[in-house]
Amino acid sequence: MLNLEQRRLEALKQYDVLDGHAEDQFDEIAKLAAIVCDKPISFISFIDHQSQYLKAKVGIEISKTARENSFCQYTIEGEGILEVCDALLDERFANNPFVVAEPFLRYYAGCPIVDEEGNNLGTLCVMDIKPGKLNTVQMETLKSLSKQVSHGLITRKEKLQILHEKNQAIHNSKVKSDFLSTMSHEIRTPLNGIISITHLLNSENNVSNQYRDYFKNLRFASEGLLSLVNDILDFSKIEAGKIELQKENFDLKTFLEDLKETFKFRAEENDSKLFFEWDENLPSHYQGDKFRIAQILNNLLSNAIKFTAHGMVVLRASAVKSNDENSRRKILLEVEDSGIGIPSDKIDSVFDSFSQATTSTSQNYGGTGLGLAITRSLVELFGSEIHVKSTVGKGSCFFFELDLPIAKNIESKQADLNLKKDISGLKVLLAEDNELNSFVVQRFMDLWNVDLDIVVNGQEAVEISMEKNYNIILMDIEMPIMGGIEAAKIIQEGSSVNRNTPVYAMTAYAISDVNELPETEIFSGYLSKPLNPGQLHDTLAAYLEKI
């Protein structure tokens, strides 16, 4: 059990006042004490086990002195004001160095500064070089001013606690974000390899339909796990306020049509039909964050299809009347299904984190309940709100509005995988430390008759690029010895024969995370793992179109 002095010292630490730095709130009180008590010297001090610290002072220059030489050491041991009318007549102070030498003190009056728990943390005192005595009004004023110091300390402690909690929250958020980012990257890497292998296996001509079904199920299972990892990371980023919307011009109608085609096969596997409805009163081209809109609709379509068997799902875009239709448009986006529906008493909670409508929903359909929480947060980033209408057994409709600037003079450009385009003879360098990923890329390049060299780190990429010319360099961002960003900079800024060769980053990070990586402008583009063979082929084919 702590004794009184130990308890006092522990309490003193909580106020962070032993730095000697001047503060206005304390300086004004010290000045007022000197004026009221009519003394040339006044100060507020706090005392630890060996020193006295002058937090505010009038008429004296020192900021710190030994506790054993202080008058105030006796004040904090008692209650009320300690007054020494003539130090030379008091055996405790007669031989004090501040009495027998400069500044030759003779008078002292000090009042304890007491915290909420009754600890005497320090003193408010006045001093003089001649004997004296305070009157009753001066005594009461000194006590009152001491209480003001105590109140100031309480406020200070509360602010320090708030600041500490804020800093701790920031630290904890960073630790969690860094951990999730690292783990998601480590989990994505093997998953990316599995998904890429399924792409590769499906490209084989001599695979039976039975094995194609196996590969398809393997891919769906892997992509489901990858989606879960991405949800967890996105949820962490949203909590930390680290997601910012990007601006790019895009064709919304084509984008939604492509999205419908992507999900059409999933709907068919659930014996359902997926339809797309577009309001012809809407312009096609807008400016905004296409990736985040895709993420919102991906979540809504995935849920709608998952909970709808032997039914239909509709993706719908329609115009909303707005005042400034020349430069902006309000678009109502809806995902409607004829699935199991949501009980009325659960509708308000479906957007909560880790929440699902019922326990049986999780048991029968799986999922973490993060998808809709992320969806709501992303919709809010656009300055909008998401709503839902639902009837049990008849289906649900999730809907929200987007207010987007209209993009002018944008040519529509349909995505074209065109894997039949001849890219044979291209010379490509791949820097990749993961053997599985290297194997997958090598197999695709063999199918396309592309000349591929493989190195396992950035340093080897720099060395070989000094000797051999390539059409394109594919560079993993994170590698041992030297990472892809550093290697790309050396190749482009040095005397390499490949200093003008386009370098594409290959990353297990989600593309949404790429903007957070340093100096990513050195890359001509990004290939996100798992590698999509169509995207990889298009990247190589685009090089031929430019030369």
Side-chain angles (χ1 to χ4, degrees):
M1 185 174 179
L2 297 177
N3 60 35
L4 290 178
E5 177 62 8
Q6 289 173 324
R7 190 179 71 178
R8 188 189 72 81
L9 292 174
E10 287 296 320
L12 186 61
K13 293 178 183 178
Q14 301 175 21
Y15 297 93
D16 191 27
V17 288
L18 301 182
D19 54 15
H21 295 155
E23 296 182 35
D24 289 343
Q25 62 170 330
F26 296 132
D27 287 344
E28 293 302 318
I29 293 175
K31 290 176 184 177
L32 188 55
I35 293 170
V36 171
C37 296
D38 192 23
K39 301 299 178 189
I41 300 172
S42 173
F43 58 81
I44 295 170
S45 72
F46 299 97
I47 302 172
D48 65 10
H49 63 288
Q50 63 181 9
S51 301
Q52 174 179 245
Y53 301 83
L54 278 62
K55 190 66 179 175
K57 53 187 181 289
V58 174
I60 191 170
E61 295 301 322
I62 62 172
S63 297
K64 178 182 176 182
T65 185
R67 174 172 175 166
E68 62 183 12
N69 294 330
S70 71
F71 282 60
C72 298
Q73 63 175 308
Y74 298 100
T75 305
I76 63 172
E77 293 176 354
E79 297 180 5
I81 293 177
L82 170 65
E83 185 177 32
V84 180
C85 296
D86 189 341
L88 289 177
L89 302 179
D90 191 315
E91 61 181 14
R92 294 173 295 179
F93 308 111
N95 296 315
N96 186 286
F98 295 111
V99 174
V100 299
E102 288 284 349
F104 299 107
L105 297 173
R106 297 286 294 277
Y107 177 81
Y108 169 87
C111 185
I113 298 170
V114 186
D115 71 1
E116 292 175 296
E117 286 76 37
N119 299 296
N120 289 351
L121 304 178
T123 64
L124 168 62
C125 65
V126 292
M127 306 183 84
D128 201 344
I129 58 174
K130 59 184 180 181
K133 186 174 179 60
L134 297 183
N135 59 40
T136 302
V137 173
Q138 290 171 325
M139 285 279 194
E140 291 302 318
T141 302
L142 196 61
K143 290 179 184 178
S144 178
L145 293 175
S146 174
K147 289 179 181 178
Q148 289 188 39
V149 177
S150 298
H151 292 319
L153 288 177
I154 293 171
T155 302
R156 179 191 184 89
K157 182 179 177 181
E158 291 172 349
K159 290 180 178 179
L160 287 172
Q161 182 64 26
I162 292 171
L163 181 62
H164 172 74
E165 290 174 355
K166 178 182 177 182
N167 291 336
Q168 189 63 45
I170 292 172
H171 172 74
N172 291 343
S173 177
K174 185 178 185 307
V175 169
K176 181 175 73 171
S177 179
D178 290 347
F179 172 76
L180 287 173
S181 181
T182 300
M183 288 305 297
S184 67
H185 181 272
E186 294 303 313
I187 294 172
R188 277 191 184 115
T189 298
L191 276 175
N192 292 335
I194 295 171
I195 295 170
S196 297
I197 286 289
T198 61
H199 280 298
L200 193 57
L201 292 171
N202 276 318
S203 69
E204 298 289 344
N205 295 323
N206 58 348
V207 176
S208 69
N209 289 334
Q210 181 183 8
Y211 278 98
R212 286 191 189 280
D213 287 339
Y214 293 159
F215 300 151
K216 179 181 66 178
N217 291 333
L218 177 61
R219 191 183 83 242
F220 282 162
S222 302
E223 288 176 344
L225 186 54
L226 187 61
S227 175
L228 173 61
V229 173
N230 291 339
D231 275 354
I232 292 172
L233 182 60
D234 274 338
F235 184 70
S236 173
K237 289 176 63 180
I238 290 170
E239 277 191 320
K242 294 176 66 176
I243 289 183
E244 294 183 4
L245 296 179
Q246 306 300 311
K247 289 184 178 180
E248 63 173 314
N249 295 330
F250 68 101
D251 184 333
L252 179 62
K253 184 178 181 182
T254 300
F255 161 67
L256 294 178
E257 287 173 340
D258 291 343
L259 201 60
K260 179 252 183 180
E261 290 300 312
T262 300
F263 280 90
K264 180 176 70 174
F265 299 105
R266 291 198 204 176
E268 290 175 353
E269 287 174 351
N270 223 16
D271 291 328
S272 293
K273 297 289 185 181
L274 177 58
F275 300 96
F276 171 55
E277 297 178 3
W278 174 264
D279 186 342
E280 295 301 332
N281 292 317
L282 283 171
S284 293
H285 300 94
Y286 298 90
Q287 186 181 77
D289 195 325
K290 182 174 71 172
F291 174 82
R292 295 301 175 189
I293 297 173
Q295 194 173 3
I296 293 167
L297 294 174
N298 277 338
N299 278 333
L300 296 180
L301 286 169
S302 293
N303 276 353
I305 292 169
K306 180 167 66 172
F307 297 124
T308 304
H310 316 293
M312 70 171 189
V313 176
V314 180
L315 171 61
R316 184 182 299 115
S318 48
V320 178
K321 186 69 177 177
S322 58
N323 295 327
D324 185 16
E325 295 192 348
N326 292 323
S327 61
R328 304 182 68 88
R329 260 320 151 80
K330 282 187 178 180
I331 307 141
L332 175 64
L333 291 170
E334 300 173 271
V335 174
E336 186 175 1
D337 65 67
S338 61
I340 63 174
I342 305 168
S344 58
D345 61 335
K346 300 295 182 181
I347 284 183
D348 292 338
S349 64
V350 294
F351 295 106
D352 293 341
S353 307
F354 304 101
S355 174
Q356 293 195 337
T358 64
T359 303
S360 62
T361 301
S362 177
Q363 293 172 344
N364 295 331
Y365 297 94
T368 62
L370 276 179
L372 287 178
I374 292 170
T375 298
R376 179 178 63 179
S377 296
L378 291 175
V379 170
E380 289 173 351
L381 283 178
F382 283 93
S384 185
E385 295 180 352
I386 188 165
H387 305 279
V388 58
K389 297 182 294 186
S390 186
T391 303
V392 173
K394 293 186 178 181
S396 304
C397 180
F398 288 82
F399 58 97
F400 61 96
E401 292 182 7
L402 289 182
D403 186 353
L404 297 177
I406 299 172
K408 305 290 186 181
N409 304 320
I410 303 296
E411 294 183 7
S412 179
K413 193 172 183 179
Q414 286 287 109
D416 180 18
L417 292 180
N418 193 19
L419 293 181
K420 295 181 180 179
K421 186 176 181 68
D422 184 15
I423 59 173
S424 60
L426 278 180
K427 294 179 174 58
V428 177
L429 172 63
L430 170 66
E432 170 65 75
D433 64 310
N434 185 281
E435 292 183 10
L436 182 57
N437 291 333
S438 297
F439 169 78
V440 171
V441 175
Q442 178 71 73
R443 188 71 184 94
F444 284 133
M445 297 302 185
D446 290 343
L447 290 172
W448 303 330
N449 295 315
V450 171
D451 182 8
L452 178 70
D453 287 335
I454 299 175
V455 295
V456 296
N457 59 60
Q459 183 173 309
E460 291 185 7
V462 171
E463 292 172 355
I464 196 172
S465 68
M466 296 292 180
E467 305 169 359
K468 186 174 179 180
N469 198 6
Y470 295 97
N471 300 118
I472 288 179
I473 298 174
L474 304 177
M475 190 82 72
D476 186 24
I477 289 181
E478 290 193 358
M479 293 181 287
I481 302 178
M482 182 185 291
I485 294 176
E486 184 180 355
K489 287 182 65 178
I490 293 174
I491 292 171
Q492 293 176 349
E493 296 174 359
S495 57
S496 168
V497 294
N498 292 281
R499 60 182 174 274
N500 296 318
T501 300
V503 181
Y504 284 80
M506 295 172 55
T507 175
Y509 286 99
I511 288 298
S512 60
D513 298 335
V514 164
N515 291 329
E516 298 177 14
L517 298 173
E519 302 182 276
T520 51
E521 69 278 358
I522 64 175
F523 296 115
S524 298
Y526 295 91
L527 293 170
S528 181
K529 303 173 188 177
L531 283 174
N532 181 298
Q535 184 189 19
L536 177 59
H537 189 280
D538 274 358
T539 299
L540 301 179
Y543 168 80
L544 291 176
E545 294 175 358
K546 293 178 182 178
I547 61 175

